[in-house]
Structures are given as structure tokens and as C-alpha cells.
Amino acid sequence: MAIDLKQYKDIPHGDMPGDKVEIGEEHVKKAQLIMESLKGMLDEVIAKDGKAVITVCGGSGVGKSETASLLSYFLNEQGIGAYTMSGDNYPRRIPMYNDAERLRIFRTAGVRGLVKAGEGTMEHFDTIRKWQQEETDADRSHVSENPWAASYIDAGRKGLEGYLGTTNEIDFDEVSSIVKAFKSGQNKIYLKRMGRTDSELWYEEVDFSTIKVLVIEWTHGNSDHYEGVDIPILLNSTPEETLAHRRARNRDGKTDSAFTMLVLELEQNLLASQAHKAKIILSKAGELLSFDQYKELMNK
């Protein structure tokens, strides 16, 4: 049965400035399915604590913003006040600078790794510089003809692992303080707003006096670096599904850089390491998964 999307066209979305939220039929079906599993869990938490924090996490293009917005909408329709907060407002740097910092860390660690491996010749540095200018220095295919490049890529990867999704990249303390203030019953809470440039940064006072459920939509929503989440929800996609989605979205035919693909892979690894905590796991195809089923799917 087809779903009439008109009623969802103007529903409130998350609070990330400029975030594009396009609700489709698949998002509605997933949100409805989640609501069926969520109801009992939510009733239990609210009965105990008066308020609840849900997080909707997952990788690139899995529909976090759309699904979280719909969950808040459905809860509000049932008379349970809900607000959708975007965790993407809480990195330590604006996106432009954070992207640059990720690349700086990868390249700095890579060059140091090259030196440590005894491969720091000027010839190798010149080749690395050429790849950097081409934005292909994270491409592992270079190793087949240049075995020494493995030292650069492996060290860069390790350096990036020490930054992505950590307290170095994200202000988890601020998110924790918001969750704590919400659960303690604070009626007015200032929430951060972050755009794409350094002039797009401000705070907005949000009225939580009628809100019982805080829905956080965020890749790192299930992270170990902050506390207070009652019901983590994982929207899963396999690496192949994520890649297919990104290829379909790039209508101009431009493919992601090797570095972007490395970032996505490392984020996928983080999500996998945290998946055991999820109370609800939903596949890309819209099927509820147990943790064992999730592991089986990801190990195929």
C-alpha cells in the first residue's frame, strides 16, 4: 500500500543548519517499524525516569535525519513531546576545518610512518606529493607498483583512527551536559548551531518544558564517549550498500576520493564496534535484526 508523503512534507526536522531532509516512503516504513519495537521500551524508561533519550545512528546515507524526524513526529502525534537534535552540531571544528584536520592528520602520520619505515627518500616524498595534489595518496592501489607506499597509507590510517569519532574531534562533554540538563528537567537549554563557515556559529534557546523524549540523530550517537542514552537505534548498511548509495547520489559521475572512502570505512568500523549496545537494529532493506543477525550480515 502506497504511503501519502504529503503529510510528512513540512514536519519539523533536526536542528543542523542547512541539513537537507527528504522523506521518502522507505523512511516512513522504517520509522513505523521502529515505533512498534520502541513503544514498550519507551514507556518503561519514561515511567522510571520521566524522560528518555533515543539516538538514531548509522553510516553515510542511511537516513538518520529522516528517520529521527519521523520518530519525533510520530511521538508528538501520540501526545509524547519529542525534539530532534543533530549531533553534527558538536564537532570541535566547523566542517570545512574538520575535513582539513582529518586530511592533515592522515598525511602527517603517513609521512612520519614513511620515515620510521626507512623509506623517507626524496624520490618517495616527491611521489607522495604528486599523489597528494591528485588527491589519490590514500589509494591503496598505489602499493602494487610502489610497495613502500604501504608504510605511508598504513601509518596515515592509524593516525586517522586516533582522531575520528574521538574527543579530539567531537565535544562529547557538551553533548553529555545537554543530555544531563534535559534529564534533570531543565526547561530551557541552549543548543549549538553550526553551519559550513566560521561565521555560522551560534546558540539557540530551546524550550523543553513539554518534551519527554530527546531524539539525537548522529553517526556517533552510540559512542562510548558520552552517557545518558536510553535507547540506541542503529540504522545499518553494509559497506557495499553505502558505496552503492553514494555512487547513485553522485549524479555528475564524480566518485568519492580514496580518502573519503577511508573515512567512511573507519566510521563503519566504529559503528560495528558499538553495535552490541543498540536496542534496535534495522537493516538497509528495512528488516529488524538481532545482534547475531547483524554480525552475520556484516561478515558476509
Side-chain angles (χ1 to χ4, degrees), residues 12-154:
H13 300 150
D15 53 15
M16 178 71 180
D19 196 18
K20 293 182 179 178
V21 178
E22 298 180 2
I23 292 173
E25 190 169 319
E26 72 279 10
H27 301 124
V28 178
K29 288 180 178 178
K30 286 182 179 181
Q32 289 174 336
L33 186 59
I34 290 170
M35 285 295 293
E36 293 174 12
S37 299
L38 184 62
K39 191 66 172 67
M41 298 181 197
L42 203 54
D43 288 344
E44 185 177 340
V45 175
I46 292 175
K48 179 174 176 283
D49 301 327
K51 294 179 183 291
V53 176
I54 298 171
T55 183
V56 179
C57 60
S60 172
V62 79
K64 296 183 293 294
S65 299
E66 290 83 358
T67 304
S69 299
L70 284 163
L71 292 178
S72 287
Y73 173 75
F74 290 148
L75 289 169
N76 281 307
E77 286 290 292
Q78 293 176 14
I80 303 171
Y83 178 86
T84 308
M85 176 180 126
S86 175
D88 286 343
N89 281 313
Y90 298 91
R92 298 191 183 279
R93 299 166 180 84
I94 62 170
M96 177 174 62
Y97 296 151
N98 195 45
D99 289 346
E101 180 66 3
R102 289 174 171 182
L103 190 57
R104 184 197 70 79
I105 286 172
F106 172 80
R107 289 178 171 174
T108 300
V111 168
R112 287 174 178 165
L114 202 61
V115 172
K116 188 175 181 180
E119 298 286 0
T121 67
M122 284 310 300
E123 181 183 359
H124 290 169
F125 287 138
D126 286 343
T127 302
I128 290 289
R129 190 177 304 113
K130 175 177 175 291
W131 291 340
Q132 289 174 346
Q133 292 168 348
E134 296 170 349
E135 299 183 1
T136 66
D137 53 309
D139 191 339
R140 198 155 197 93
S141 66
H142 288 310
V143 176
S144 59
E145 294 184 7
N146 304 274
W148 55 266
S151 300
Y152 172 84
I153 295 171
D154 290 344

Side-chain angles (χ1 to χ4, degrees), residues 80-232:
I80 303 171
Y83 178 86
T84 308
M85 176 180 126
S86 175
D88 286 343
N89 281 313
Y90 298 91
R92 298 191 183 279
R93 299 166 180 84
I94 62 170
M96 177 174 62
Y97 296 151
N98 195 45
D99 289 346
E101 180 66 3
R102 289 174 171 182
L103 190 57
R104 184 197 70 79
I105 286 172
F106 172 80
R107 289 178 171 174
T108 300
V111 168
R112 287 174 178 165
L114 202 61
V115 172
K116 188 175 181 180
E119 298 286 0
T121 67
M122 284 310 300
E123 181 183 359
H124 290 169
F125 287 138
D126 286 343
T127 302
I128 290 289
R129 190 177 304 113
K130 175 177 175 291
W131 291 340
Q132 289 174 346
Q133 292 168 348
E134 296 170 349
E135 299 183 1
T136 66
D137 53 309
D139 191 339
R140 198 155 197 93
S141 66
H142 288 310
V143 176
S144 59
E145 294 184 7
N146 304 274
W148 55 266
S151 300
Y152 172 84
I153 295 171
D154 290 344
R157 178 193 179 97
K158 188 173 181 180
L160 197 55
E161 282 178 330
Y163 179 72
L164 288 176
T166 71
T167 55
N168 294 323
E169 181 179 37
I170 298 162
D171 193 346
F172 284 103
D173 287 343
E174 185 166 14
V175 179
S176 291
S177 69
I178 291 167
V179 171
K180 186 176 180 180
F182 169 69
K183 286 195 161 184
S184 69
Q186 190 169 318
N187 286 336
K188 301 289 180 67
I189 303 174
Y190 277 96
L191 299 185
K192 187 178 176 184
R193 304 288 184 254
M194 178 180 281
R196 301 293 304 181
T197 68
D198 50 13
S199 63
E200 296 177 312
L201 179 62
W202 71 98
Y203 280 77
E204 183 176 329
E205 187 181 62
V206 178
D207 185 355
F208 279 92
S209 59
T210 62
I211 304 300
K212 287 189 175 182
V213 181
L214 176 61
V215 182
I216 304 175
E217 62 94 2
W218 194 16
T219 299
H220 305 293
N222 202 14
S223 173
D224 294 328
H225 290 298
Y226 77 118
E227 299 177 345
V229 175
D230 299 297
I231 306 173

